[in-house]
Amino acid sequence: MPPFPEAARIALANTQLRTNLAHATATIRDKRARVVAEVDDWEELRTAGAATKDRVLLDLDTHLVRLEESLIRAGATVHWARDAEEACRIVADVAKAHHVDEVVKVKSMATQEIGLNEALAQEGISAWETDLAELIVQLGDDLPSHILVPAIHRNRAEIREIFLAGMARAGRPAPEGLDDEPAHLAEAARLHLREKFLRAEVAVSGANFAVAETGTLVVVESEGNGRMCLTLPQVLVSVVGIEKVVPTWADLDVFLQLLPRSSTGERMNPFTSTWTGVTPGDGPQEVHVVLLDNGRTRALADEVGRQALRCIRCSACLNVCPVYERTGGHAYGSVYPGPIGAILNPLLRGVGVDDQVDSLPYASSLCGACYDVCPVKIDIPSVLVDLRAQVVDAHRGGVPRPEAVAMKAAAATFRRPGLLRAAERLTRPGLAVVRRVGASAWTGARDLPPAPKESFRAWWKRTDGGRS
Amino acid sequence: MNAREEILGRVRAALEGAPPPPVVEPRSVVEPRAVVEQGAQRPISRDHSATDLVDLFAERVADYTATVHRCTADEVEAVLTELLGDRTTVVPPGFDRAVPHPVEDTGLTPTELDGIDAVVTMATLGIAETGTIVLTHGPGQGRRALSLVPDLHVCVVREDQVVPGVPDAVTALDPTRPQTWISGPSATSDIELDRVEGVHGPRTLRVVLVAGDA
């Protein structure tokens, strides 16, 4: 992926994308604001959510060990995965042990993060996405562009084309004479996927929450595809980031209020499923849970950034972000786009290694809207600023960037009064030269301020500090 | 080192010198709970009269276009007959009301279930503020697949099962039971944010809300 500024420039030229995004984000923003206003103790809920997550993160080893014990007691098999490759191998091994060449999947950010579908394909196993938007993305050989509504960048006509071209390749073809009515498109997806649900033997999911005390996993969703995957197949593998743990069942009270209202702008999402290991005679009889690190312990070690691990993936920050609204998710080059992606990716992957990742902390106007809506009070602007400093630090030594040269020169000038006086005299002619030469790397994204008529020192001397 | 030890080791190393975890104070739940309804404030007190609560539940369920049918205990079977009509209906063990064309659950496969038109279940509780019904899949509710595959779900909820909010529900529920929280029928907004009902779960949800001693 190209760094954000390049990717954003391409996205900005796509007027269809901008129209789709502006409509979608404005709609979800309004819905969210309405249902949040119904809750009198919303601020208390946010504080409680943040505190509960902090309590988990600052004592994570204890909670993970407890979760493991509860899961095993409830009949689940627990696996630990250091990175994406290890997690994918565990899932593939479970599928192979059951001699299947396909699995059905519940929409899950963790499995996208680890590139599970591609890894399973390498092993000859087809992973079928069953969320409508994920199906659109998968059949269109596309990438998701939003955490909640991954196909937000597509309109109905494009979706019809994707279904007509892609469904036959993957199973039951699109119905003849399919038009672009959303209800008809959804019906086509229902028929196409039902065939897969009914025959599936192995399902893969993530989890929104994992309760340490009881070993209960929770998946929230809207369509019912989650229930299909979690209930019909005999084998279920859930890939769960180690930050998803909450201490007790009672803690869910807060999160089940915060998540749907922040995410889809509903009082409650249509379906929430909870399960605790294996229930004899009901649902999967073999339950695996993969506890995934993949950079989370790196993020945990970052004193400022560790709060990003509180994230419950609601996507409220995307919908209020002026940068996301104009560029869409693909420009962020990751399954986690928007403000949260701009901090989560550098935290999970580290800075100073990849130019694309290093560009993300700058993909923000620092307006703070993301902090205001975050249901678990992640101070995204502060983390962005801290990460910018880390990116600069990571590039010390070697050839300095033009901005670093300018800052260094400025620092030296400010330290020496004589030099500063000289510099001030040169400001007007200097700016004129810069305008003429066109320092486009800077002025392409920012306005060059007009030069003051006189310097501060000259003004002080003339007016005796404003006294005359 | 195995993955488990290595990850736990990384966690401990990452937290070295970190502040102690915050003590989470119990939240003071707002009381009385004010519910804003189309601009007008309608206070729902925590020690509200039961009628307020049941009305709110009915209103909120209906908000999701899940039809609510209110009746007395004596009328339940008549309502079920009317709602289910000619449909074949899977009836979970422990459901003690008569339905017109019952199919017993004898461990039906998903494909067999797919050939049945409707399912009727009881519920464990209803949540007024969110219009949610919760199934814990015990007697009268059936295993999870039953209330999932057929296209019509008729759910019988007693008025005395309705609780005010999510905190009350979480407190009342047993986490070791599998649970399905249902707030309206299956829905998606994935295509241009147009809400389309019924993608995968039951496309129609009918809630029979029973007054008095049912």
Side-chain angles (χ1 to χ4, degrees):
Chain A
M1 273 303 287
F4 185 83
E6 281 172 49
R9 197 157 291 127
I10 299 164
L12 286 171
N14 183 341
T15 47
Q16 174 76 61
L17 174 81
R18 291 179 64 175
T19 311
N20 293 358
L21 282 169
H23 165 67
T25 52
T27 307
I28 312 181
R29 266 202 311 268
D30 290 351
K31 278 177 73 186
R32 179 198 163 275
R34 255 196 321 272
V35 293
V36 163
E38 284 181 4
V39 182
D40 282 348
D41 52 352
W42 185 253
E43 285 309 312
E44 279 189 284
L45 282 174
R46 288 177 76 207
T47 306
T52 301
K53 282 284 189 176
D54 278 349
R55 186 172 134 216
V56 167
L57 292 171
L58 292 172
D59 198 8
L60 189 58
D61 49 334
T62 312
H63 292 288
L64 284 174
V65 169
R66 198 160 171 224
L67 173 66
E68 181 187 40
E69 283 167 10
S70 312
L71 282 167
I72 292 171
R73 205 182 321 125
T77 307
V78 178
H79 310 258
W80 299 72
R82 281 167 276 222
D83 53 25
E85 197 192 332
E86 196 166 10
C88 290
R89 194 165 56 243
I90 294 165
V91 180
D93 284 349
V94 172
K96 282 192 206 157
H98 292 275
H99 312 289
V100 297
D101 59 5
E102 64 171 9
V103 300
V104 286
K105 278 191 67 202
V106 190
K107 175 177 179 300
S108 134
M109 299 309 295
T111 57
Q112 279 178 17
E113 175 193 320
I114 61 174
L116 180 65
N117 296 4
E118 296 75 16
L120 289 178
Q122 298 250 313
E123 306 268 355
I125 300 163
S126 308
W128 304 117
E129 293 290 350
T130 63
D131 171 80
L132 177 54
E134 291 291 352
L135 176 73
I136 295 165
V137 169
Q138 186 175 40
L139 293 179
D141 286 324
D142 196 1
L143 293 167
S145 64
H146 189 284
I147 290 175
L148 171 71
V149 271
I152 199 169
H153 56 294
R154 297 289 200 182
N155 61 27
R156 61 185 74 190
E158 293 174 298
I159 294 167
R160 173 179 173 269
E161 292 302 319
I162 290 169
F163 279 7
L164 287 174
M167 275 186 173
R169 254 189 297 131
R172 181 176 174 145
E176 267 179 54
L178 178 67
D179 60 24
D180 63 7
E181 245 333 281
H184 299 159
L185 294 169
E187 172 73 14
R190 178 184 175 95
L191 295 170
H192 177 81
L193 288 171
R194 185 151 285 226
E195 187 188 75
K196 292 186 170 127
F197 289 133
L198 295 179
R199 68 168 187 241
E201 293 169 46
V202 178
V204 179
S205 82
N208 292 89
F209 306 101
V211 181
E213 177 192 31
T214 57
T216 307
L217 298 189
V218 182
V219 164
V220 302
E221 50 131 359
S222 293
E223 292 174 11
N225 64 306
R227 293 177 67 194
M228 289 279 184
C229 294
L230 300 170
T231 304
L232 298 184
Q234 283 301 295
V235 181
L236 173 62
V237 191
S238 305
V239 180
V240 182
I242 54 173
E243 83 286 13
K244 293 286 178 186
V245 56
V246 296
T248 67
W249 170 258
D251 291 311
L252 288 177
D253 137 29
V254 170
F255 296 106
L256 290 179
Q257 295 184 75
L258 288 171
L259 181 54
R261 289 182 202 258
S262 300
S263 181
T264 52
E266 293 169 298
R267 297 182 182 113
M268 188 58 81
N269 48 290
F271 300 123
T272 298
S273 297
T274 79
W275 70 101
T276 305
V278 175
T279 306
D282 185 354
Q285 296 301 296
E286 187 181 320
V287 170
H288 297 263
V289 178
V290 183
L291 297 174
L292 175 73
D293 180 347
N294 203 36
R296 283 158 179 76
T297 49
R298 181 204 290 273
L300 187 68
D302 187 306
E303 277 175 43
V304 179
R306 70 167 63 106
Q307 59 183 305
L309 295 177
R310 288 184 208 147
C311 176
I312 54 174
R313 312 283 189 259
C314 73
S315 73
C317 62
L318 276 59
N319 302 324
V320 297
C321 177
V323 177
Y324 176 87
E325 185 176 318
R326 285 161 182 80
T327 63
H330 289 161
Y332 293 82
S334 151
V335 298
Y336 303 112
I340 188 65
I343 61 171
L344 207 49
N345 290 300
L347 286 164
L348 293 175
R349 296 169 58 190
V351 298
V353 183
D354 179 324
D355 279 349
Q356 195 272 330
V357 172
D358 285 358
S359 72
L360 293 176
Y362 296 92
S364 168
S365 63
L366 298 181
C367 73
C370 47
Y371 185 19
D372 287 343
V373 296
C374 179
V376 285
K377 286 189 168 175
I378 301 170
D379 185 354
I380 296 176
S382 292
V383 181
L384 283 166
V385 170
D386 188 70
L387 285 168
R388 288 181 186 186
Q390 291 186 29
V391 170
V392 171
D393 283 343
H395 290 279
R396 288 193 203 284
V399 183
R401 293 167 179 231
E403 222 168 288
V405 173
M407 289 300 165
K408 216 164 189 170
T413 312
F414 283 127
R415 266 199 303 273
R416 294 160 63 187
L419 215 53
L420 183 57
R421 197 173 313 130
E424 280 176 354
R425 274 201 296 274
L426 288 172
T427 303
R428 284 171 69 85
L431 276 178
V433 170
V434 169
R435 275 213 176 79
R436 190 149 309 168
V437 177
S440 60
W442 179 272
T443 57
R446 304 164 178 88
D447 291 327
L448 207 53
K453 287 200 176 60
E454 67 182 329
S455 73
F456 176 72
R457 280 156 199 270
W459 170 83
W460 186 278
K461 209 167 164 187
R462 180 169 59 78
T463 64
D464 188 21
R467 278 187 283 268
S468 65
Chain B
M1 209 183 327
N2 69 31
R4 178 185 189 276
E5 292 314 311
E6 193 167 333
I7 293 170
L8 288 173
R10 287 180 192 171
V11 169
R12 289 175 191 127
L15 292 175
E16 223 166 356
V23 178
V24 179
E25 299 285 343
R27 221 161 17 93
S28 64
V29 177
V30 176
E31 219 168 332
R33 197 115 168 148
V35 179
V36 181
E37 198 60 75
Q38 286 151 2
Q41 289 264 327
R42 186 144 89 80
I44 302 294
S45 157
R46 288 261 158 183
D47 55 354
H48 47 263
S49 67
T51 345
D52 268 358
L53 198 62
V54 173
D55 286 348
L56 180 65
F57 174 71
E59 206 178 290
R60 290 280 153 98
V61 171
D63 250 14
Y64 291 117
T65 66
T67 331
V68 181
H69 307 266
R70 301 184 69 163
C71 65
T72 64
D74 297 338
E75 294 162 349
V76 173
E77 284 180 15
V79 171
L80 291 180
T81 304
E82 192 193 313
L83 290 177
L84 294 165
D86 293 338
R87 295 180 181 85
T88 52
T89 304
V90 63
V91 182
F95 188 87
D96 54 6
R97 305 278 183 175
V99 300
H101 304 281
V103 180
E104 202 186 329
D105 178 30
T106 49
L108 301 161
T109 65
T111 310
E112 285 167 338
L113 273 176
D114 195 35
I116 295 169
D117 303 323
V119 57
V120 60
T121 70
M122 301 201 282
T124 299
L125 54 83
I127 307 172
E129 275 172 13
T130 57
T132 304
I133 52 176
V134 182
L135 269 53
T136 55
H137 306 285
Q141 300 179 24
R143 60 196 169 100
R144 283 171 280 172
L146 296 195
S147 47
L148 170 64
V149 182
D151 206 15
L152 167 66
H153 180 194
V154 178
C155 186
V156 181
V157 183
R158 295 194 317 268
E159 287 187 356
D160 64 7
Q161 289 182 310
V162 178
V163 301
V166 172
D168 311 272
V170 169
T171 307
L173 291 164
D174 172 6
T176 61
R177 297 288 315 160
Q179 294 173 20
T180 308
W181 296 38
I182 300 170
S183 309
S186 155
T188 183
S189 300
D190 280 341
I191 303 167
E192 297 181 18
L193 290 197
D194 252 16
R195 188 175 169 99
V196 175
E197 261 150 32
V199 196
H200 303 299
R203 280 183 283 196
T204 311
L205 174 67
R206 304 238 185 272
V207 176
V208 181
L209 189 52
V210 187
D213 303 316

